[in-house]
C-alpha cells in the first residue's frame, strides 16, 4: 500500500486487515483443498512454504468456444498454446514452492474476460498474469514477446460500475468499501494507480529475467486497455509469448524447450518481484519501529 493510500485510509478509518486469505504453508507441489466463496467455486490453489505466501493467478487466454488466433504452422490454436504455457509456469512455481498459484482455467473451457480477473480478486491474488500468443497475418516476419499493462487509470464510469457491483462486505486494496460512492471512487482510483505502478515494475523485472533467454519485440512494454487487466487492486500484466504467424516463434512456443524457458523466466521474475516487496516492507518496518526488539 502506498503511503498516500495508507494515510487516506487511516484518515477515513477504512483500513482493513489487508489479509489476502492465505492458507498456511504446506508441501511443495501440493494442491490445496477446493476453494469457494459466496459467488461459487474457485480454482484450486497450490500450496507453498512459509507463512501466508503470495498468490499468483495465471490466466491461459481464450478457451472453449473462443479458440484465439490460429497458427498457420501446425494445426493448433492460441487457446491450446496458452493453456500448455500456463500449466508449465504453474508447475515450475509449485515445484520451487515460494508462491501459491492458481489457474483461471485448467481445461478447454470458456471464461468471460471479467470473470478471469474476478477469480484473482476473489482469491485475494497478489499478481495476475494473462498468457496469450500474438498474430500478425500480414507480416510473417513479426516476432518476439510483448508485455502489456493497463494504459490508463480506469475511467470514473468504470470505477463507479465496479463500486456499484460490489456489495458492502467487499474490500478494495485491503480497505472496506464505503457507503459513500464518492469515497469509493477515490479508493478505487488510488488502488488502481498503485496496481498500475506495481504492474509496470513487474513488466520490467520480467523483461530483465526473460530477455536473455527468449526474444522480445524491440518495444517490449506496451500499454492497452485490455479488460483482463482491469482489476483495480491486483497488479496485472498480459504476456504475448510470441507470434503464431512467425514460423520460428510458433515452433518455439509449442516446443517443450520453449515452454520450459518461458516458465523459468516467468518464475524468476515472479520470485524476484515478491522478494523485492518483502525487503521493502521489512525496511519500512525497521524505519518506522526500529530493529526488532527495540521498536
Ligand atoms: Zn489472445
Amino acid at each position: 500500500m502506498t503511503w498516500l493510500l495508507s494515510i487516506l485510509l487511516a484518515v477515513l478509518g477504512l483500513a482493513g486487515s489487508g489479509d489476502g486469505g492465505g492458507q498456511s504453508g504446506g508441501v511443495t507441489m501440493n494442491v490445496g483443498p477446493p476453494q469457494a466463496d459466496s459467488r461459487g467455486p474457485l480454482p484450486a490453489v497450490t500450496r507453498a512454504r512459509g507463512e501466508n505466501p503470495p498468490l499468483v493467478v495465471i490466466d491461459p487466454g481464450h478457451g472453449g468456444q473462443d479458440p484465439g488466433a490460429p497458427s498457420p504452422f501446425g494445426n493448433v490454436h492460441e487457446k491450446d498454446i496458452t493453456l500448455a504455457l500456463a500449466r508449465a509456469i504453474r508447475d515450475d512455481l509449485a515445484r520451487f514452492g515460494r508462491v501459491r498459484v492458481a489457474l483461471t482455467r485448467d481445461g478447454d473451457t470458456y471464461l468471460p474476460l471479467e470473470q478471469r480477473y474476478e477469480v484473482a480478486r476473489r482469491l485475494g491474488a497478489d499478481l495476475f498474469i494473462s498468457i496469450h500468443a500474438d498474430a500478425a497475418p500480414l507480416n510473417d516476419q513479426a516476432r518476439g514477446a510483448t508485455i502489456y499493462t493497463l494504459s490508463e487509470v480506469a475511467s470514473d464510469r468504470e470505477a463507479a460500475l465496479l463500486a456499484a457491483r460490489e456489495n458492502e462486505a467487499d474490500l478494495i486494496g485491503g480497505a472496506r468499501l464505503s457507503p459513500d460512492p464518492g469515497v469509493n471512487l477515490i479508493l478505487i482510483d488510488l488502488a488502481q494507480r498503485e496496481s498500475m505502478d506495481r504492474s509496470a515494475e513487474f513488466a520490467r523485472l520480467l523483461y530483465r529475467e526473460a530477455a536473455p533467454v527468449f526474444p522480445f519485440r524491440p518495444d517490449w512494454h506496451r500499454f492497452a486497455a485490455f479488460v483482463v487487466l482491469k482489476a483495480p487492486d491486483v497488479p496485472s500484466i498480459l504476456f504475448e509469448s510470441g507470434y503464431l504467424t512467425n514460423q520460428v516463434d510458433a515452433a518455439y512456443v509449442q516446443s517443450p524447450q520453449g515452454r520450459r524457458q518461458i516458465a523459468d523466466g516467468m518464475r524468476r521474475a515472479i520470485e524476484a518481484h515478491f522478494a523485492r516487496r518483502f525487503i521493502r516492507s521489512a525496511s519500512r518496518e525497521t524505519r518506522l519501529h526500529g530493529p526488532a526488539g527495540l521498536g
Side-chain angles (χ1 to χ4, degrees):
M1 198 177 294
T2 61
W3 61 271
L4 185 58
L5 182 53
S6 307
I7 288 170
L8 184 86
L9 297 180
V11 167
L12 295 171
L14 290 169
S17 69
D19 186 277
Q23 299 162 267
S24 59
V27 183
T28 306
M29 281 302 285
N30 202 346
V31 176
Q35 310 266 314
D37 67 7
S38 58
R39 284 181 262 183
L42 281 163
V45 178
T46 66
R47 293 182 193 276
R49 294 188 301 273
E51 205 180 308
N52 197 19
L55 170 61
V56 182
V57 169
I58 312 277
D59 171 48
H62 311 279
Q65 71 219 45
D66 167 21
S71 174
F73 307 105
N75 186 22
V76 68
H77 278 90
E78 184 184 354
K79 67 174 184 178
D80 305 312
I81 292 166
T82 60
L83 182 58
L85 278 174
R87 284 173 170 162
I89 296 165
R90 174 198 58 195
D91 293 351
D92 206 35
L93 283 166
R95 195 157 55 85
F96 280 76
R98 296 191 180 103
V99 301
R100 297 175 297 138
V101 201
L103 299 186
T104 55
R105 67 174 177 99
D106 195 7
D108 186 18
T109 46
Y110 174 74
L111 203 58
L113 294 172
E114 291 84 359
Q115 273 182 33
R116 294 171 186 259
Y117 73 71
E118 283 299 341
V119 164
R121 296 196 67 233
R122 287 164 62 200
L123 284 171
D126 300 286
L127 188 61
F128 176 83
I129 299 172
S130 191
I131 307 287
H132 287 254
D134 233 325
L138 300 178
N139 176 13
D140 64 5
Q141 296 306 301
R143 62 170 306 211
T146 318
I147 306 165
Y148 283 90
T149 58
L150 193 61
S151 58
E152 56 191 25
V153 169
S155 68
D156 279 3
R157 193 180 124 72
E158 279 167 291
L161 282 174
L162 177 87
R165 221 172 45 231
E166 304 293 355
N167 63 43
E168 60 205 29
D170 218 325
L171 297 171
I172 194 95
R176 223 162 261 294
L177 282 173
S178 157
D180 179 343
V183 171
N184 282 344
L185 284 182
I186 297 172
L187 287 176
I188 291 169
D189 186 62
L190 283 174
Q192 183 106 66
R193 281 175 198 279
E194 174 164 347
S195 294
M196 287 169 74
D197 289 347
R198 288 208 181 147
S199 306
E201 193 180 297
F202 178 70
R204 289 191 291 274
L205 262 180
L206 179 57
Y207 178 74
R208 188 189 79 183
E209 293 298 329
V213 184
F214 57 85
F216 275 75
R217 286 167 51 105
D219 54 342
W220 53 270
H221 184 187
R222 305 179 84 184
F223 298 87
F226 286 125
V227 172
V228 286
L229 297 177
K230 289 190 176 175
D233 47 0
V234 185
S236 305
I237 67 150
L238 186 146
F239 177 69
E240 294 279 5
S241 49
Y243 280 81
L244 299 184
T245 41
N246 176 273
Q247 194 162 10
V248 179
D249 270 13
Y252 182 75
V253 296
Q254 291 176 68
S255 70
Q257 189 209 8
R259 272 199 295 275
R260 203 167 45 243
Q261 289 181 336
I262 289 170
D264 187 59
M266 198 62 91
R267 177 186 55 75
R268 282 186 285 110
I270 290 167
E271 290 175 353
H273 173 75
F274 290 116
R276 229 183 228 191
R277 272 187 50 192
F278 178 77
I279 290 165
R280 244 185 239 159
S281 66
S283 70
R284 194 182 307 134
E285 280 295 303
T286 307
R287 271 203 315 279
L288 288 174
H289 305 297
L294 298 173

